[in-house]
Amino acid sequence: MKISRLGEAPDYRFSLANERTFLAWIRTALGFLAAGVGLDQLAPNLATPIVRESVSLLLCLFAGMLAIYGYLRWLRNEKAMRLKQDLPYTWTLLFISVAMAAAVAVVIMLVVYGG
């Protein structure tokens, strides 16, 4: 079903805010993707190749998951606004924060103990 046929159109300001939030998710995904590619290509001596490539792959996969999640979140919020429902709450933000902290911890360990 097309989203534009569902319910009634919300105030355009809310739709634009929802779109900006989606774009922020995409920016975050691009940041993780850049970190994964950069770690693999620009830090060849940071750790053993298997560790470096594994961390890079995890960062790139996380970037893809964030991009998909950003779209799904935009879609759920748009549907809720069109149907005049409460916006859905998500625990995913906690998961993303923990994943980011874990990625930082791994990179710090690679820098301190890998070189």
Side-chain angles (χ1 to χ4, degrees):
M1 172 183 275
K2 285 186 71 172
I3 189 75
S4 62
R5 294 183 186 161
L6 188 63
E8 63 182 62
D11 185 341
Y12 71 91
R13 293 172 292 181
F14 298 126
S15 288
L16 291 174
N18 192 27
E19 185 177 324
R20 282 191 305 274
T21 303
F22 166 70
L23 293 173
W25 283 102
I26 296 300
R27 254 191 332 268
T28 303
L30 284 171
F32 274 101
L33 184 62
V37 171
L39 180 63
D40 185 51
Q41 296 297 310
L42 302 175
N45 299 325
L46 187 60
T48 63
I50 190 75
V51 171
R52 189 184 71 249
E53 290 172 4
S54 296
V55 173
S56 296
L57 180 63
L58 285 174
L59 287 170
C60 292
L61 289 173
F62 191 63
M65 289 176 10
L66 276 179
I68 292 168
Y69 176 75
Y71 173 75
L72 294 175
R73 185 173 163 98
W74 169 84
L75 187 63
R76 282 193 310 268
N77 288 343
E78 192 69 22
K79 282 181 182 177
M81 287 188 300
R82 288 181 159 278
L83 296 174
K84 300 200 181 300
Q85 298 173 342
D86 291 338
L87 294 179
Y89 182 76
T90 180
W91 286 96
T92 308
L93 301 178
L94 175 62
F95 170 74
I96 292 169
S97 299
V98 169
M100 181 64 190
V104 168
V106 168
V107 171
I108 287 173
M109 288 191 322
L110 289 176
V111 168
V112 171
Y113 298 112

